[in-house]
Amino acid sequence: MKTYMLLLYANEAGGEALTPEDMAMWMRKMGEYSDALGKADAFVSTAGLGRSRDARTIHTNKDELQVHAGPYADTQEQLGGYYLIRAADMDAAQAWAARCPAALWGHIEIREVPH
């Protein structure tokens, strides 16, 4: 089995506009997805991330630290969380990503985590 990271991207403003009831429904669906991964022995870990507007991006240029408020890229979708899963190959990881409710409101990037 290989390890894959599913990077969950979505528009933060859209998520912040959800009613508490709608957010609870989506979190329940995400919990059901986590349970399915666990039952298949594919679950490694998951976590959400803080808001991108609270992020800091740093870079060192000629030994001078440069700090910028916010994420690295100004995009319509922001990295909001991840799943770390086990799968036989990229096709199997893609099948798991397709089942993730986050694919309904954003995009999921799949990256192998080399050992």
Side-chain angles (χ1 to χ4, degrees):
M1 296 292 268
K2 296 179 179 180
T3 303
Y4 293 90
M5 183 169 277
L6 309 182
L7 301 161
L8 312 179
Y9 291 90
N11 182 299
E12 286 177 335
E16 291 170 352
L18 290 175
T19 65
E21 295 81 16
D22 285 343
M23 180 59 80
M25 178 207 47
W26 285 112
M27 290 300 100
R28 188 173 52 256
K29 289 180 181 291
M30 294 298 283
E32 291 166 359
Y33 176 70
S34 294
D35 291 345
L37 285 166
K39 287 177 184 169
D41 198 30
F43 182 82
V44 176
S45 70
T46 187
L49 300 176
R51 298 174 305 195
S52 65
R53 67 177 167 258
D54 296 332
R56 297 293 177 268
T57 302
I58 67 162
H59 174 73
T60 302
N61 186 9
K62 298 180 183 174
D63 296 328
E64 181 181 328
L65 179 64
Q66 298 176 350
V67 180
H68 302 280
Y72 176 70
D74 184 18
T75 63
Q76 292 194 4
E77 293 183 332
Q78 295 77 37
L79 178 61
Y82 72 89
Y83 273 91
L84 201 58
I85 67 168
R86 285 184 293 271
D89 55 28
M90 179 59 86
D91 289 339
Q94 181 178 318
W96 276 113
R99 291 179 60 181
C100 183
L104 296 171
W105 67 75
H107 292 87
I108 300 176
E109 179 180 351
I110 308 164
R111 304 274 299 267
E112 183 178 350
V113 180
H115 295 285

